[in-house]
Amino acid sequence: MRSMILLLAMLGLVGCMKVSDMAEGTREQLSDAGFLDHSDTRRASPWRLQADSFIYIAQGYFVPPGSAYPRANVVAEEAFNGFVEYFPLVRRAKGPAGLEEAMGQARSVGAHYLLYARFASADDRIGTVEDWEDQEALDRLGRDRGVIQLMLIETNTRYLVDTARIRNRGGFLTFYDARPEDLIGPPLEEYARSLIGLSR
């Protein structure tokens, strides 16, 4: 009788949670434990933008020491891919630019905001047999890490609307053949969602 009551109580509790909530909770737990990719975004402001805001996305020239990411404009490209779903009026610079140059480009196309990004650090660890053959260093085995810095600036007034710092870390189950730039797409999309006021 006790086991029957316990079984019914457990079934009642399980029935209160949707499968999608259980999957998202499991993914978050595995991410926090280091098995899956993990990112942590720290925003300086709770500012929200309207969906019809025109955002121009540019990336600085800065290349982090020891970095080996292949595309010079990778942060701007990934940010564009994340923002275009939530902001229909979004454009991206064709290549890296200094802040003043990017501001001039944003004003010339009539953008309301400039999202200026840079890869502050990138640690590309050994994740394939080819990487091992190139480096052969046990201390270089492991998960990739990276830090991205973002500034959201109003183009008319040059007011700094928001700054953000995104820390990325690869997971043990996903580190094979991964690069630091592979980790930046989802947190940049999450940042776009937070700017428009949407939760996960």
Side-chain angles (χ1 to χ4, degrees):
M1 186 67 175
R2 285 183 186 170
S3 59
M4 182 69 142
I5 292 172
L6 184 62
L7 179 64
L8 288 173
M10 287 179 61
L11 287 175
L13 288 174
V14 170
C16 295
M17 185 177 264
K18 294 189 294 187
V19 175
S20 60
D21 291 341
M22 288 174 57
E24 182 62 26
T26 303
R27 190 199 65 74
E28 285 181 11
Q29 293 295 326
L30 289 173
S31 174
D32 288 344
F35 291 103
L36 298 178
D37 296 344
H38 177 76
S39 68
D40 178 41
T41 302
R42 302 290 171 119
R43 290 186 59 191
S45 167
W47 192 278
R48 301 282 184 261
L49 301 183
Q50 294 179 334
D52 62 349
S53 298
F54 185 2
I55 301 173
Y56 188 80
I57 301 171
Q59 178 178 343
Y61 290 110
F62 179 75
V63 177
S67 170
Y69 62 89
R71 301 189 316 268
N73 207 30
V74 65
V75 179
E77 292 169 11
E78 293 295 333
F80 177 82
N81 294 339
F83 271 68
V84 73
E85 181 178 348
Y86 304 101
F87 296 95
L89 300 173
V90 63
R91 287 187 61 184
R92 160 180 78 76
K94 293 179 181 174
L99 181 57
E100 291 303 321
E101 182 185 0
M103 184 64 74
Q105 292 172 0
R107 286 180 172 163
S108 69
V109 296
H112 302 129
Y113 298 96
L114 166 66
L115 179 68
Y116 192 71
R118 75 174 190 154
F119 228 137
S121 72
D123 187 7
D124 186 13
R125 297 288 183 143
I126 295 174
T128 63
V129 174
E130 293 80 16
D131 290 343
W132 174 255
E133 290 171 352
D134 289 342
Q135 301 180 33
E136 292 188 7
L138 284 174
D139 63 331
R140 297 293 304 148
L141 282 171
R143 303 172 295 168
D144 299 330
R145 295 176 185 272
V147 176
I148 301 166
Q149 294 172 334
L150 304 171
M151 290 191 303
L152 185 66
I153 305 168
E154 194 171 28
T155 55
N156 285 341
T157 62
R158 298 181 64 94
Y159 177 71
L160 184 61
V161 174
D162 189 25
T163 60
R165 181 174 180 262
I166 301 173
R167 294 178 60 221
N168 300 310
R169 180 190 72 219
F172 286 114
L173 301 178
T174 56
F175 83 94
Y176 179 76
D177 200 20
R179 298 284 179 257
E181 65 268 16
D182 299 335
L183 304 172
I184 65 178
L188 285 169
E189 182 177 349
E190 187 63 32
Y191 180 68
R193 289 173 62 87
S194 72
L195 282 177
I196 205 168
L198 296 175
S199 59
R200 284 188 179 177

